[in-house]
Amino acid sequence: MSYDTIIIGAGPAGLAAGLYAARGALKVLIIEKGGIGGQIATSWDIENYPGSPPNSTGPSLTERMREQCEEFGVEFSTRTYQSFSITLNGFAIETDSGSLETQTLIVATGAEPKMIGCKGERELRGMGVSYCATCDANFFKGLKVAVLGGGDTALEESLYLTKYAKEVVIIHRRDELRGAKILQQRIKDNEKISLILDSVVEEIKGNGLVEGIVVKNVKTGETSVVPVDGVFVFVGQKPNMEPFVGSLERDARDYLITDEDMRTNISGIFAAGDVRRKSLRQVVTATADGAIAAVNVIKFIEELK
Ligand code: NAP
């Protein structure tokens, strides 16, 4: 079975690429190792995707994107991408469930949360240390949690956590938050949220379950133990590009480099969404990338004829 294009990843970038490629009459397969939706599937409130209805969630938005793809004939397969090799007709793709053939490839593998790297983080992951408020907030009803980070994700997820936790303390390494001003205002207005600025977490303590964190003030050097029942880590992301090391060009932070038509350094391979180097990682820019990649895949295939 040979495809015109195989898209790796079923987040907003991959789903938008699938929709545009299928509407361009290509034979399209989207492969995905986990569920549909990518990182946005863990978002509880999408306020800034133009036209999304009030209270729309990541899963509801991406489920509708998947349905649209299927309406236009996109195939889906749950499997893990492993490698590609160049063939006379395009690419042979190796996956954990066998080989596939395709003329072109769109890499839309997204990004994933970074770990903070402190003592206790790995050991207590899943036992009070979490990277997804939507998934785990429910476990912290009436309890106190810490949120690490000062970006949009940390601020949005802190607000979400207040629906469950009795107290949320945000720990940020500088004296100023990075996240959007509107979120900063909401944080300030929320009585359940407090801030510890100029501080980093040196250790997460617990015996089977999180019991507290060791916080160090980076200006004074003082450390203190803050008792918490949970720690939510939102300190940024890293691109899912490991399978392409050695083949696709990356920037210093490991994001894949494309031109504005989403072409990578290898003819016939395109990249879209959070995995590529760009200035704004949002659903709206991911879907735009996907559309641009698909349109240029269509052009690429036309030019081969
Ligand atoms: P981010 O913007 O990169 O913020 C990461 C935060 O973690 C920063 O405050 C950073 O501190 C801190 N940090 C990084 N490494 C750290 C470490 N080792 N120890 C302590 N703190 C550390 O990441 P993000 O919040 O996940 O957002 C990623 C992208 O998605 C951004 O472009 C963001 O705008 C976007 N996003 C948008 C929305 C929305 O618009 N609704 C929602 C979520 C995410 P510094 O500030 O000192 O660097």
Side-chain angles (χ1 to χ4, degrees), residues 137-145 161-167 192 229:
N138 194 31
F139 299 122
F140 297 92
K141 276 190 191 137
L143 300 176
K144 177 175 176 180
V145 298
L161 281 161
T162 60
K163 290 177 183 238
Y164 299 88
K166 75 161 191 245
E167 207 181 327
K192 285 187 169 182
D229 305 291

Side-chain angles (χ1 to χ4, degrees), residues 48 116 149-153 156 172-174 178 234-237 281-282:
N48 55 2
I116 202 142
D152 284 331
T153 308
E156 275 193 354
H172 181 45
R173 63 184 177 183
R174 288 186 295 128
R178 175 184 291 280
F234 302 116
V235 296
Q237 307 174 341
R281 293 192 173 79
Q282 299 276 295

Side-chain angles (χ1 to χ4, degrees), residues 204-267:
I204 302 173
K205 286 180 165 296
N207 186 9
L209 284 177
V210 167
E211 289 163 5
I213 47 181
V214 179
V215 178
K216 180 180 172 185
N217 183 303
V218 292
K219 289 201 170 142
T220 63
E222 275 172 39
T223 60
S224 56
V225 177
V226 179
V228 291
D229 305 291
V231 179
F232 285 82
V233 182
F234 302 116
V235 296
Q237 307 174 341
K238 60 180 174 111
N240 293 319
M241 44 50 70
E242 290 80 7
F244 304 99
V245 171
S247 52
L248 298 185
E249 265 174 25
R250 298 169 280 150
D251 70 4
R253 294 171 62 213
D254 279 341
Y255 289 93
L256 299 182
I257 297 174
T258 69
D259 67 10
E260 64 179 24
D261 290 335
M262 308 298 143
R263 295 188 197 95
T264 68
N265 55 305
I266 296 184
S267 175

